[in-house]
Amino acid sequence: MTAAQILAVILFAAMFLLIVSEKIERHVVSLVCGLLMLVLVFGVCMKSPAAIWNTLSLQNFFSVSFWYEAGEAGESSSGINWSTILFIAGMMLMVEGMGKAGFFRWLCLELARLVKYRTVPLFIVFMVMSSILAMFIDSITVILFLAAATVELGRLLKFNPVPMIIAEIFCANLGGSATMCGDPPNIIIGTSLGYSFADFITNTGVIAGFSLILVILYFFFCFRRELEKSVAERGEVSYPNPKDAIENRKDFAVSSAIFAAAVVLLVTHAQTGLTVAAIGVFIGAVTLVTAGKDALWLLKKVDYKTLLFFIGLFVVVGGLEQTGILELIAGFIARVSGDNAMIMVAIVLWISAVASAFVDNIPFAATMIPVIQSLSAAQGVNLSVLAWALSMGTDIGGSATPIGASANVVGISVAAKEGHVIGWGKYCRYAAPATVLVVLFSMIAIYVRYF
């Protein structure tokens, strides 16, 4: 290995270890490691201004195909994926606007009213709703509002909210795997490899749909006794009116319309030619314009730390690509699999799932994209099949442990604040087997459909 390759691996490993340790904020870690990659690897070792320019990818902003591309060939995976950054920023603005308008609280209370506040139907409905919302909205936001509503309903209806929160967390991660915009790894995969919303929904979406049925049955049998302990006679209970969640009807109507527009644009972007970067900018701009005097407040609510984390991460991964490390990894996987496509899919799927259970699935997905591209080119394996395996592995694997995905951390934190502590033992006892079940089903589904 060359000095540049060794240093690139050291920086990447250091970034991963520091992120896992959680001693330093992850956006600081990724930005510092990214800067060191640009200066030490590209500048000192490689002496390549071209590598720096390619990794920063600033030229993409001035390309028509970055904003409009009828063929949807996708943005190059090399360097910073600005499509991902702009799309996530736009969706963040939209979600903050919806939250401020009371959309999520209204939805939870309305569904509870429709099932007449019965515990078991509520359990199933909230699982389904968690999956559906996470198909279009960041799973962190979904769980933040859903867990809070579950705790409130648990207090009102006298049931333990912990089983429902665990199930909601898992279903949010599962729902996120169904679409291109549902989970950050999917956004990265889609924008890097040129897959559309329709590509995801007709591939990972089908797998996620059947998996949801399995998961609902699994969690129902796990928690049915606990759910049935809900007090049958609650006495005089005053149920909250869903309409009370809507503080401003105009804001509620506008945010709902923007959400509907976002869904339509995403579903049809392969036909319209609008890239996810263009959609993200449009949705964010419309949200700010309609917010009026609250626009500044919405801008302040955007999670800039996450966006900065992405930028640093893409630079570090770009360093691995520019130095040829990712090609070496692809070659290793090819040798282990013996050029057997089915074994290759299994390796990508299970390694992704296991790794994502303990480390952030975002950098792992970003690292693996050029790896599966190399595998596809060298071994003749269908790239899309490897992409669906990577998507399901990274999205579902994070459900296995309390730290595997951001939604897990948020849901557990919300429960803990209300006095319902969910420890590693209790969480893993139910979520880990469910994860294995879905990953195994995903592997079988991929084999049956594509081989």
Side-chain angles (χ1 to χ4, degrees):
M1 293 178 69
T2 65
Q5 289 177 324
I6 293 172
L7 187 54
V9 171
I10 290 173
L11 287 174
F12 179 78
M15 182 189 73
F16 243 116
L17 291 174
L18 288 171
I19 290 174
V20 172
S21 70
E22 298 182 341
K23 299 294 184 183
I24 306 173
E25 289 191 89
R26 65 178 189 170
H27 72 285
V28 175
V29 173
S30 70
L31 286 174
V32 170
C33 289
L35 180 61
L36 291 174
M37 187 72 75
L38 292 174
V39 175
L40 298 180
V41 177
F42 296 156
V44 177
C45 295
M46 296 176 64
K47 296 181 176 62
S48 175
I52 297 175
W53 179 249
N54 290 335
T55 300
L56 293 177
S57 301
L58 296 175
Q59 67 274 16
N60 286 335
F61 288 105
F62 306 100
S63 170
V64 174
S65 62
F66 181 77
W67 306 102
Y68 176 81
E69 191 167 52
E72 198 60 40
E75 178 189 346
S76 171
S77 65
S78 179
I80 301 175
N81 191 323
W82 290 109
S83 289
T84 297
I85 304 296
L86 292 177
F87 178 72
I88 291 178
M91 297 302 284
M92 283 180 175
L93 285 169
M94 182 192 74
V95 167
E96 290 297 337
M98 294 174 69
K100 188 176 184 300
F103 178 88
F104 301 107
R105 180 173 169 77
W106 166 82
L107 182 60
C108 291
L109 294 176
E110 187 65 36
L111 287 174
R113 184 187 66 82
L114 289 175
V115 298
K116 300 179 180 178
Y117 299 95
R118 291 174 295 171
T119 306
V120 173
L122 197 64
F123 177 74
I124 296 172
V125 166
F126 269 41
M127 287 176 69
V128 174
M129 180 173 64
S130 180
S131 291
I132 293 175
L133 284 176
M135 290 170 65
F136 307 101
I137 301 173
D138 179 65
S139 58
I140 299 173
T141 303
V142 172
I143 290 301
L144 186 63
F145 288 94
L146 208 54
T150 300
V151 170
E152 180 180 339
L153 288 171
R155 188 184 301 116
L156 181 71
L157 305 180
K158 304 294 187 296
F159 68 81
N160 180 8
V162 170
M164 198 175 292
I165 290 174
I166 292 176
E168 288 164 359
I169 290 171
F170 192 96
C171 287
N173 291 326
L174 179 60
S177 70
T179 66
M180 180 177 160
C181 61
D183 216 24
N186 285 14
I187 299 174
I188 297 172
I189 292 170
T191 54
S192 298
L193 303 180
Y195 295 131
S196 67
F197 185 95
D199 291 329
F200 275 91
I201 201 71
T202 54
N203 289 280
T204 59
V206 173
I207 297 174
F210 284 106
S211 297
L212 179 60
I213 298 173
L214 292 176
V215 167
I216 290 174
L217 293 173
Y218 168 81
F219 280 117
F220 173 74
F221 284 111
C222 284
F223 295 126
R224 67 185 187 281
R225 292 181 181 176
E226 212 163 337
L227 292 170
E228 289 168 357
K229 289 180 182 178
S230 175
V231 178
E233 296 182 5
R234 299 182 180 120
E236 293 296 326
V237 178
S238 178
Y239 297 119
N241 189 338
K243 294 181 180 179
D244 293 339
I246 306 173
E247 297 181 3
N248 187 307
R249 291 185 179 277
K250 179 183 176 183
D251 290 346
F252 180 84
V254 169
S255 64
S256 299
I258 293 174
F259 174 61
V263 173
V264 171
L265 288 173
L266 286 167
V267 171
T268 61
H269 82 98
Q271 287 72 41
T272 63
L274 293 175
T275 64
V276 292
I279 293 172
V281 170
F282 174 75
I283 292 299
V286 171
T287 300
L288 290 175
V289 170
T290 55
K293 62 181 181 180
D294 292 326
L296 184 59
W297 180 86
L298 287 176
L299 284 171
K300 290 179 179 179
K301 294 293 289 183
V302 171
D303 187 358
Y304 293 103
K305 291 181 179 180
T306 295
L307 299 179
L308 291 172
F309 165 70
F310 273 113
I311 292 173
L313 163 67
F314 284 131
V315 172
V316 174
V317 174
L320 295 181
E321 186 172 9
Q322 293 288 339
T323 55
I325 291 297
L326 298 181
E327 290 183 6
L328 295 177
I329 295 174
F332 173 76
I333 294 176
R335 287 194 298 273
V336 172
S337 63
D339 298 336
N340 187 308
M342 295 181 73
I343 296 177
M344 202 174 293
V345 166
I347 291 174
V348 171
L349 179 65
W350 285 99
I351 287 181
S352 300
V354 172
S356 297
F358 300 99
V359 299
D360 199 312
N361 61 2
I362 297 170
F364 186 85
T367 305
M368 286 296 293
I369 287 169
V371 170
I372 64 173
Q373 284 179 308
S374 297
L375 282 171
S376 175
Q379 307 301 319
V381 180
N382 191 329
L383 177 60
S384 62
V385 177
L386 294 178
W388 309 142
L390 176 63
S391 172
M392 295 306 298
T394 52
D395 292 338
I396 304 304
S399 301
T401 66
I403 63 170
S406 299
N408 309 11
V409 178
V410 169
I412 291 172
S413 297
V414 171
K417 285 180 183 178
E418 300 296 333
H420 302 283
V421 178
I422 305 176
W424 269 73
K426 186 172 184 64
Y427 182 88
C428 293
R429 188 184 314 139
Y430 300 107
T435 301
V436 173
L437 176 67
V438 174
V439 174
L440 181 61
F441 175 79
S442 299
M443 185 177 70
I444 296 171
I446 290 172
Y447 285 167
V448 170
R449 183 170 180 181
Y450 303 108
F451 291 98

